[in-house]
Amino acid sequence: DSEVARQQDEISHTHLFLSALSHELKTPLTAIIASTGLLIEELDKRHEAILLKLAQNISRSASSLQNRLNELISLSKNKDESYGIAKKDFDFSMLVAEVADQVLSLAKKKKQTLNLEVAPYIKINADDQRIEQVLLNLLSNAIKYTPEGGQIFLRAAKDGNRLVVNVQDTGPG
């Protein structure tokens, strides 16, 4: 029983650490989100399309990070290891385009080509934040492990009532 008590104590310390870390990261992240919002407004007024797109990518990424932090805070408060799922109808194709925009600068840095083969409108019912997280992970890994000058393909199509997503790259493996 001392082993069980030790494990419970370790879990409690882990939850306290996650809670403290999340709260410490929240303040600077809120400032980043607010500043990016002001930057977007200013760039929009000046019709700086390329810089505006970059600022919008920063804003989306910061919001995504804020959502992950909120989940950590929730986990540490509830001491529950399950994530909530919030399903809703949304356009998967649009989400793919937004995620591709977020990682495009990483691909360009490595002179990689990101090819999207996704129908213009694919309506699905799922948790858009979770799907975004999965797509970001898949594309980030593809970029990371694809050599300079390589190609990355993201294909998506409906197959009956299923959505089939395929990420392929010219990297190893």
Side-chain angles (χ1 to χ4, degrees), residues 8-109:
Q8 286 177 335
D9 190 46
E10 192 175 303
I11 290 170
S12 180
H13 279 62
T14 301
H15 283 292
L16 285 172
F17 172 75
L18 287 176
S19 179
L21 177 65
S22 299
H23 284 289
E24 287 299 317
L25 292 174
K26 239 177 139 53
T27 303
L29 185 57
T30 300
I32 290 169
I33 290 170
S35 297
T36 305
L38 294 172
L39 178 61
I40 287 171
E41 287 177 21
E42 191 60 36
L43 291 172
D44 193 32
K45 286 179 196 171
R46 295 180 184 193
H47 305 289
E48 295 280 350
I50 293 170
L51 295 176
L52 177 61
K53 193 168 189 111
L54 288 172
Q56 289 169 334
N57 288 343
I58 292 168
S59 179
R60 270 195 301 274
S61 295
S63 293
S64 180
L65 182 57
Q66 186 176 48
N67 289 334
R68 301 296 85 74
L69 278 174
N70 288 337
E71 289 170 357
L72 278 175
I73 290 169
S74 177
L75 278 175
S76 66
K77 282 181 182 173
N78 297 332
K79 296 185 179 175
D80 177 13
E81 295 186 18
S82 65
Y83 287 105
I85 302 293
K87 285 184 170 186
K88 67 177 186 180
D89 288 341
F90 67 95
D91 182 358
F92 177 79
S93 307
M94 186 174 291
L95 181 64
V96 168
E98 289 172 4
V99 169
D101 279 347
Q102 291 179 55
V103 299
L104 194 56
S105 60
L106 297 173
K108 282 184 177 180
K109 231 185 242 187

Side-chain angles (χ1 to χ4, degrees), residues 117-173:
E117 297 174 16
V118 181
Y121 181 76
I122 300 175
K123 179 182 166 188
I124 65 170
N125 183 277
D127 187 322
D128 61 335
Q129 291 181 12
R130 300 282 180 246
I131 300 296
E132 178 183 14
Q133 194 174 6
V134 169
L135 289 172
L136 277 170
N137 288 340
L138 288 170
L139 289 176
S140 296
N141 283 338
I143 291 166
K144 181 178 179 180
Y145 294 109
T146 299
E148 189 167 308
Q151 293 194 51
I152 298 159
F153 299 88
L154 187 146
R155 297 177 184 94
K158 289 282 258 187
D159 179 18
N161 63 348
R162 298 179 330 142
L163 173 66
V164 178
V165 178
N166 176 296
V167 176
Q168 182 181 5
D169 59 61
T170 55

